[in-house]
């Protein structure tokens, strides 16, 4: 038997009903904040991610699905392509390619779609997973650098998670400063690590050389006391970065969005500057981040684009659904009526009735005239219908139908003209 590839999975009903419900709500929230959808290709030129996400990140060094796409003719050069491991680089590429900066306004863009990383699969971590993300990007003259953008994005996320019905979320906030701050902090970390790094795990020993900031990501228990004693990022922020972070925090306080400062949260992508954040959820186990994001003021320039500061986030939709399910949230989809044709020649009457009801907004499923009444009842129960509507010869002739509420067993004759109101009340 051929099975779904390791790390990928099928999403089936009724789970997909919850996925759709979440996506519908999310689109509604995005619209209220004046975000509009962007759809970028699922694969891109490999160099976009190498340059955008960062040559030395786990994503680029270990996790990308990359292949050589041969040219059509022997003379044509082949091209290295990669399934997108994240969507921000693609959005910024599109921003540059279509000259969206020329509009002079802020671009508020959102996306929903699959991303691909060759990670070790486990609960909440897949090789094909789904992200719901958004970006605010634009020229500085349009206000893209303002801490108000950071606060708006974070306030929107709090509203979005509240509205999809997630309760136990926590916002973890940090500032990773600007490129110069990070260089100084990296240097300080490198120095501080020198005398202790030999006691640390192999990954940390490597990171201490290549990218000391990543040491803060280490989850190995024995390394934690050492990491706790390392210098803190906040001591290396320059004055503008310090002020920016303080303004973001004041605005969050003013609108009443709770957060905790987590100085160890440095995030796994190199493009972040200043504000970084994660929303975590206690029911998710080791993979506790429902979403992550931050500011990326230099990303556009690093992809040869214009100066276009921005801030964005990506929600792990798989994890959001897991967290909702852990809290007992399920889809509100329900079947109003199961139409049961009873006896030969009744299919057409049932279909006609179902057509009227469905066009009037009733959710209805339909049986078959070959079913005995008992079988129709069983099918209606299985389908989770609220009512069963019997369509027999008498009913078809009189235009009055026997309607039974399955939960209570209450049965009434309902005239065709009354049926829509009756089934939907
Ligand atoms: P990142 O793009 O790494 O900042 O991730 C943003 C969010 O995407 C994370 O907080 C997770 O919720 C989700 N995510 C990242 N990688 C995976 C994965 N392999 N499987 C499922 N969700 C993921």
């Amino acid at each position: 038997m051929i099975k779904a590839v390791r790390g990928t999975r099928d999403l089936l009903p009724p789970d997909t009903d919850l996925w759709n419900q979440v996506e519908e709500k999310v689109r509604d929230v995005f619209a209220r904040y004046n975000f509009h959808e962007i759809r970028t290709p699922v694969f891109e030129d490999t160099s976009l991610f190498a340059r955008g996400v960062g040559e030395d990140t786990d994503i680029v060094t270990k996790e990308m699905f990359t292949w050589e796409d041969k040219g059509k003719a022997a003379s044509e050069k082949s091209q290295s392509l990669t399934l997108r491991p994240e969507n921000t680089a693609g959005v910024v590429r599109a921003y540059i390619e279509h000259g969206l900066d020329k509009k002079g306004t802020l671009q508020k863009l959102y996306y929903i779609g699959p991303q691909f990383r060759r990670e070790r699969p486990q609960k909440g971590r897949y090789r094909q997973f789904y992200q719901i993300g958004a970006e605010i990007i634009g020229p500085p003259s349009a206000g893209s650098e303002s801490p108000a953008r950071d606060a708006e994005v974070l306030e929107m996320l709090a509203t979005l998670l509240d509205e999809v019905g997630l309760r136990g979320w926590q916002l973890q906030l940090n500032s990773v400063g600007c490129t110069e701050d990070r260089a100084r902090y990296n240097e300080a970390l490198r120095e501080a690590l020198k005398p202790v790094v030999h006691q640390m795990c192999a990954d940390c020993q490597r990171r201490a050389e290549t990218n000391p900031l990543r040491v803060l990501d280490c989850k190995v228990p024995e390394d934690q006391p050492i990491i706790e004693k390392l210098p803190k990022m906040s001591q290396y922020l320059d004055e503008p970065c310090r002020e920016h972070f303080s303004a973001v925090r004041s605005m969050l306080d003013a609108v009443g969005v709770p957060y905790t400062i987590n100085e160890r949260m440095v995030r796994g992508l190199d493009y972040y500057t200043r504000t970084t954040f994660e929303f975590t959820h206690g029911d998710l186990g080791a993979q506790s981040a429902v979403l992550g994001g931050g500011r990326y003021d230099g990303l556009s320039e690093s992809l040869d684009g214009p100066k276009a500061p921005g801030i964005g986030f990506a929600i792990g939709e798989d994890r959001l659904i897991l967290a909702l399910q852990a809290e007992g949230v399920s889809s509100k989809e329900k079947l109003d009526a199961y139409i049961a044709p009873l006896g030969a020649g009744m299919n057409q009457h049932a279909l006609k009735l179902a057509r009227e009801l469905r066009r009037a907004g009733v959710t209805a499923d339909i049986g078959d005239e070959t079913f005995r009444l008992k079988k129709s009842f069983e099918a209606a129960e299985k389908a989770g219908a609220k009512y069963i509507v019997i369509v027999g010869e008498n009913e078809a002739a009189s235009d009055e139908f026997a309607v039974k509420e399955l939960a209570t067993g209450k049965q009434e004759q309902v005239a065709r003209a009354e049926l829509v109101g009756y089934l939907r009340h």
Side-chain angles (χ1 to χ4, degrees):
M1 188 178 60
I2 300 173
K3 291 189 172 166
V5 173
R6 199 168 110 84
T8 72
R9 61 201 186 122
D10 302 306
L11 302 171
L12 306 172
D15 288 354
T16 41
D17 291 338
L18 185 57
W19 281 71
N20 285 327
Q21 189 176 299
V22 163
E23 287 172 17
E24 221 171 275
K25 175 52 79 182
V26 159
R27 287 179 193 276
D28 168 50
V29 171
F30 282 145
R32 271 183 276 146
Y33 285 76
N34 197 28
F35 281 80
H36 297 274
E37 186 173 8
I38 179 166
R39 299 190 191 198
T40 65
V42 163
F43 56 88
E44 302 262 6
D45 195 307
T46 303
S47 58
L48 173 66
F49 304 115
R51 285 170 58 192
V53 176
E55 299 274 8
D56 193 38
T57 56
D58 279 356
I59 294 181
V60 171
T61 53
K62 298 194 268 199
E63 296 169 1
M64 296 204 301
F65 288 97
T66 296
W67 71 99
E68 279 301 312
D69 198 63
K70 291 199 183 65
K72 274 202 208 96
S75 58
E76 259 180 28
K77 273 220 303 242
S78 71
Q79 188 181 12
S80 178
L81 302 178
T82 293
L83 289 179
R84 63 183 184 197
E86 60 92 62
N87 219 152
T88 300
V91 170
V92 175
R93 183 211 31 81
Y95 177 88
I96 299 167
E97 187 171 337
H98 301 285
L100 298 183
D101 60 304
K102 311 253 169 11
K103 296 185 187 229
T105 54
L106 285 181
Q107 298 295 305
K108 297 173 89 175
L109 305 166
Y110 79 87
Y111 59 83
I112 300 179
Q115 317 294 334
F116 306 85
R117 294 182 197 174
R118 191 186 274 111
E119 293 193 270
R120 195 167 53 78
Q122 55 180 280
K123 187 179 176 211
R125 187 193 269 169
Y126 310 102
R127 290 183 164 187
Q128 172 170 341
F129 60 100
Y130 294 81
Q131 284 186 335
I132 299 170
E135 320 287 349
I136 303 184
I137 178 170
S141 59
S144 57
E145 266 171 324
S146 164
R149 302 289 85 71
D150 311 37
E152 184 187 9
V153 161
L154 289 164
E155 187 282 321
M156 175 174 78
L157 279 166
T159 297
L160 190 156
L161 294 179
D162 286 346
E163 290 204 12
V164 297
L166 191 71
R167 287 185 300 273
W169 56 260
Q170 271 206 322
L171 164 55
Q172 317 251 350
L173 196 60
N174 193 19
S175 173
V176 295
C178 54
T179 321
E180 298 80 47
D181 298 341
R182 278 238 293 280
R184 280 187 292 131
Y185 182 49
N186 255 324
E187 224 18 73
L189 282 177
R190 213 185 291 274
E191 280 304 309
L193 281 164
K194 265 187 195 151
V196 286
V197 73
H198 64 278
Q199 303 164 30
M200 302 182 82
C201 70
D203 272 343
C204 279
Q205 301 202 8
R206 183 178 48 80
R207 291 170 184 145
E209 286 296 317
T210 56
N211 196 349
L213 206 64
R214 292 272 152 266
V215 168
L216 304 183
D217 279 340
C218 175
K219 301 280 185 311
V220 175
E222 293 76 28
D223 289 359
Q224 301 311 307
I226 301 175
I227 295 172
E228 288 305 323
K229 292 204 197 76
L230 292 172
K232 300 277 183 289
M233 182 73 228
S234 57
Q235 299 159 353
Y236 292 84
L237 298 184
D238 64 13
E239 201 44 40
C241 289
R242 215 183 288 268
E243 274 168 24
H244 184 98
F245 195 37
S246 149
V248 174
R249 294 194 316 258
S250 306
M251 279 182 271
L252 290 178
D253 293 338
V255 294
V257 172
Y259 57 87
T260 42
I261 303 290
N262 178 355
E263 290 209 46
R264 280 188 53 181
M265 198 199 45
V266 288
R267 316 266 310 117
L269 298 85
D270 275 355
Y271 51 61
Y272 288 117
T273 53
R274 296 193 165 174
T275 314
T276 56
F277 54 86
E278 276 181 7
F279 283 68
T280 54
H281 192 275
D283 290 338
L284 287 173
Q287 307 303 321
S288 67
V290 180
L291 70 91
R295 190 164 261 292
Y296 43 83
D297 289 347
L299 179 56
S300 172
E301 289 108 307
S302 76
L303 297 172
D304 304 326
K307 189 169 164 59
I311 180 163
F313 61 84
I315 303 172
E317 194 175 1
D318 307 72
R319 292 193 199 167
L320 175 58
I321 299 285
L322 283 172
L324 285 169
Q325 288 172 334
E327 287 188 350
V329 176
S330 56
S331 123
K332 291 189 197 65
E333 295 284 320
K334 57 170 185 38
L335 188 62
D336 296 322
Y338 183 89
I339 320 256
L342 191 65
M346 287 301 121
N347 270 351
Q348 57 172 306
H349 293 287
L351 196 61
K352 184 158 175 279
L353 182 66
R355 174 173 158 93
E356 287 166 23
L357 296 176
R358 286 163 167 167
R359 286 187 163 217
V362 174
T363 53
D365 207 350
I366 190 162
D368 195 87
E369 63 186 28
T370 58
F371 293 179
R372 289 174 188 281
L373 197 54
K374 183 159 175 286
K375 181 164 172 178
S376 289
F377 269 94
E378 283 166 5
E381 291 274 1
K382 264 195 202 152
K386 189 160 182 228
Y387 294 101
I388 183 164
V389 182
I390 314 289
V391 183
E393 229 163 281
N394 294 342
E395 281 87 356
S398 68
D399 255 0
E400 244 190 34
F401 299 89
V403 179
K404 189 165 182 167
E405 189 173 22
L406 288 164
T408 60
K410 186 176 122 193
Q411 182 164 335
E412 285 188 277
Q413 291 295 116
V414 183
R416 189 176 208 114
E418 313 290 317
L419 208 48
V420 170
Y422 190 91
L423 296 172
R424 299 201 65 193
H425 79 261

